[in-house]
Amino acid sequence: MELNENARVDTSQVEDRRGSGGGGGMGIPIPIGGGRGGIVGMIIAVLVALVGGGFGLNAATNGGGSDQGDNTSLEQKCSAQDALEQLDCRNTLYVNSIQAYWRTAMPEVFGEQYKPSKTVFFSQNVSTGCGAADSGVGPFYCPADDLVYIDLTFYRLLADQLGAQGEFAQPYVLAHEYGHHVQDLLGTEAQMRRQQQRDPQSANTLSVKLELQADCYAGAWAKNATGTSDEQGQKIFKSITDQDIQQAIDTAEKIGDDAIQQRSGRPVNPDEFTHGTSEQRKQWFTKGFSTGDPKACDTFGGTL
Ligand SMILES: [Zn+2]
């Protein structure tokens, strides 16, 4: 994968809350992987909470618009010559590409307007429209405030603990989260939640379908990513190789429910699956990628 060094990083699409003290400096940060239980708990939570499922739906207090991060330093950093050597600037550019894709694809494919959503960079803990969260939950989308949340140190864990190496794991993760945003905009997520309430026994099965669809949407973005541009019309990616796509597929496999359960030393129990098996995640990402068409991502098969 090669990014275009002339592409402008649009930092207005992210909100930098790192170091802004998400909990007002009062909270005790919960360390990542403090012990065996911590690591295991974290790895499980990573996948359970990607859609905010782990959080209470009625958040205590929503920070609302008052919690805007100060992006000045990020803006400066990401307009510098060597911006793309910085993890946060690269990730901002990935967000730019993903949203540029959906801005065109959503009206084309679904006949609906795309509404942009910011990604919040946080460290350790953050207050969200879905309640308070710490890094342990991994990246997630909160349907209540329409924001994607990520502690960028997650990628280290992905590489070190889960063995998902490679840069392209990063845009895959972000594209998956934006897939949830698209589901939110299309009403798929709300329909799915209602269905879960009607039929609690299939709650996990429905969750798996939602997650696999987000993987498929990520694949559709990956297929079309080289066509995305910044606001000045500069291409964001110079190239995406087969090896990059393989990295995304590897990541999807590594975070399959069965793989996670095995890794944590627990018996594999399909009843507890919420995100899909390695095979399913790989399959649906690949389906999105090979077709390049979000319409092909009908994991619900008309059952919603
Ligand atoms: Zn998810």
Side-chain angles (χ1 to χ4, degrees):
M1 174 192 79
E2 206 185 335
L3 287 164
N4 177 7
E5 68 276 8
N6 296 319
R8 202 183 74 84
V9 180
D10 181 3
T11 54
S12 74
Q13 295 186 19
V14 301
E15 207 178 298
D16 194 0
R17 289 196 214 160
R18 292 169 299 176
S20 70
M26 306 269 292
I28 298 161
I30 298 165
I32 300 174
R36 195 180 128 73
I39 292 174
V40 170
M42 141 115 225
I43 292 170
I44 294 161
V46 162
L47 305 149
V48 171
L50 285 171
V51 78
F55 301 116
L57 282 176
N58 24 345
T61 13
N62 184 353
S66 62
D67 201 5
Q68 297 292 324
D70 177 8
N71 266 13
T72 330
S73 54
L74 191 65
E75 200 184 328
Q76 273 169 0
K77 186 176 171 184
C78 297
S79 49
Q81 209 41 249
D82 63 348
L84 298 181
E85 284 166 29
Q86 311 296 327
L87 177 75
D88 44 9
C89 299
R90 281 202 308 280
N91 270 264
T92 305
L93 199 55
Y94 299 147
V95 167
N96 297 162
S97 168
I98 295 159
Q99 300 212 92
Y101 167 64
W102 284 111
R103 209 166 15 244
T104 316
M106 213 166 124
E108 253 176 39
V109 178
F110 298 111
E112 301 220 21
Q113 209 60 30
Y114 179 70
K115 267 181 49 204
S117 154
K118 287 187 185 187
T119 288
V120 177
F121 294 154
F122 72 97
S123 52
Q124 297 183 324
N125 48 58
V126 66
S127 66
T128 83
C130 298
D134 68 78
S135 299
V137 301
F140 62 97
Y141 174 73
C142 169
D145 59 19
D146 303 326
L147 296 171
V148 171
Y149 291 87
I150 187 167
D151 180 331
L152 295 169
T153 60
F154 169 74
Y155 295 131
R156 220 155 41 211
L157 180 118
L158 199 57
D160 297 349
Q161 305 291 329
L162 292 171
Q165 309 278 353
E167 176 79 14
F168 211 75
Q170 300 180 14
Y172 158 67
V173 165
L174 291 168
H176 173 98
E177 298 312 332
Y178 275 93
H180 287 312
H181 176 56
V182 169
Q183 291 171 324
D184 188 12
L185 293 176
L186 291 172
T188 316
E189 198 264 341
Q191 271 177 293
M192 193 284 278
R193 301 277 170 220
R194 278 196 296 274
Q195 185 79 2
Q196 279 182 324
Q197 275 163 6
R198 276 196 298 269
D199 183 8
Q201 281 196 323
S202 37
N204 282 358
T205 312
L206 287 160
S207 163
V208 166
K209 289 177 178 173
L210 194 77
E211 294 300 330
L212 294 176
Q213 186 173 64
D215 281 339
C216 184
Y217 285 169
W221 163 80
K223 178 73 172 185
N224 295 287
T226 47
T228 59
S229 308
D230 69 9
E231 277 180 1
Q232 280 79 42
Q234 288 275 359
K235 291 260 183 258
I236 291 176
F237 288 93
K238 275 186 172 165
S239 64
I240 293 173
T241 65
D242 292 348
Q243 202 192 349
D244 296 319
I245 300 306
Q246 198 51 50
Q247 282 173 6
I249 292 171
D250 282 350
T251 307
E253 274 191 296
K254 294 269 167 42
I255 59 178
D257 287 325
D258 49 343
I260 300 279
Q261 287 184 353
Q262 261 162 9
R263 261 192 115 79
S264 67
R266 293 184 303 150
V268 172
N269 180 1
D271 289 343
E272 290 175 6
F273 291 175
T274 54
H275 282 68
T277 61
S278 296
E279 194 52 36
Q280 288 174 316
R281 299 199 70 162
K282 177 179 149 175
Q283 265 172 15
W284 281 100
F285 176 87
T286 305
K287 184 157 193 185
F289 180 76
S290 57
T291 59
D293 179 9
K295 267 255 154 67
C297 299
D298 186 16
T299 54
F300 291 96
T303 56
L304 267 192

